[in-house]
Amino acid sequence: MKTLYTTQATATGGRNGQVKSENGIVDLEVRMPKALGGSNDDFANPEMLFAAGYSACFDSALNLVIKKENIETGATTVSAKVSIGQNDNGGFGLEAELHANIPGVTIEVAQSLIEKAHEVCPYSNATRGNMPVKLTVSND
């Protein structure tokens, strides 16, 4: 891989601590969500941060594909739902659902665009074969 950009973040205290990017833009308290035994859902957590990153990255990949295909669409949105659960080995795993809304095209064109974006997106490439990722699309 030819590296184009590198960044760094540091966590202190794990799921009940602090995460901070090297430039200080991201500087958040993280806490265990109630569903995992925490006491408060009013804080960020690793799955939330992953969902935010994946949705932003995937929307960029989607818009790159739309531009390369020279297709006219309305403004796109991508939502990422990230779940954590126990795997068969006693460890933990993630799964994701990505939903893209691509207005101004048929549902068939929208489906084709999301599938192509899934091949381009760095998060999709990193997770492929490592976690289930479900794709859905709408065009309203």
Side-chain angles (χ1 to χ4, degrees):
M1 176 179 93
K2 179 182 174 189
T3 301
L4 301 174
Y5 171 74
T6 301
T7 190
Q8 182 174 321
T10 301
T12 305
R15 288 181 168 274
N16 288 305
Q18 187 86 12
V19 293
K20 187 173 183 179
S21 62
E22 64 185 345
N23 66 1
I25 298 296
V26 174
D27 189 356
L28 299 170
E29 289 184 55
V30 291
R31 297 289 182 269
M32 185 85 70
K34 285 183 182 179
L36 297 178
S39 61
N40 191 326
D41 282 338
D42 294 334
F43 291 90
N45 61 62
E47 293 72 34
M48 186 184 296
L49 296 171
F50 189 86
Y54 203 166
S55 63
C57 190
F58 197 91
D59 195 37
S60 287
L62 178 60
N63 281 281
L64 177 67
V65 168
I66 289 167
K67 184 178 179 180
K68 283 186 174 183
E69 299 271 324
N70 200 27
I71 295 175
E72 294 277 335
T73 70
T76 62
T77 59
V78 174
S79 298
K81 185 187 296 185
V82 174
S83 302
I84 185 172
Q86 197 157 12
N87 63 26
D88 295 337
N89 301 329
F92 295 89
L94 298 174
E95 62 185 23
E97 295 180 32
L98 299 175
H99 178 80
N101 184 50
I102 310 170
V105 296
T106 66
I107 203 71
E108 293 81 13
V109 169
Q111 184 67 42
S112 174
L113 291 169
I114 193 174
E115 289 171 8
K116 289 175 182 175
H118 193 47
E119 295 300 315
V120 172
C121 177
Y123 274 68
S124 293
N125 288 328
T127 60
R128 187 170 292 108
N130 296 311
M131 65 181 261
V133 177
K134 179 181 176 185
L135 303 175
T136 60
V137 68
S138 59
N139 63 349
D140 50 304

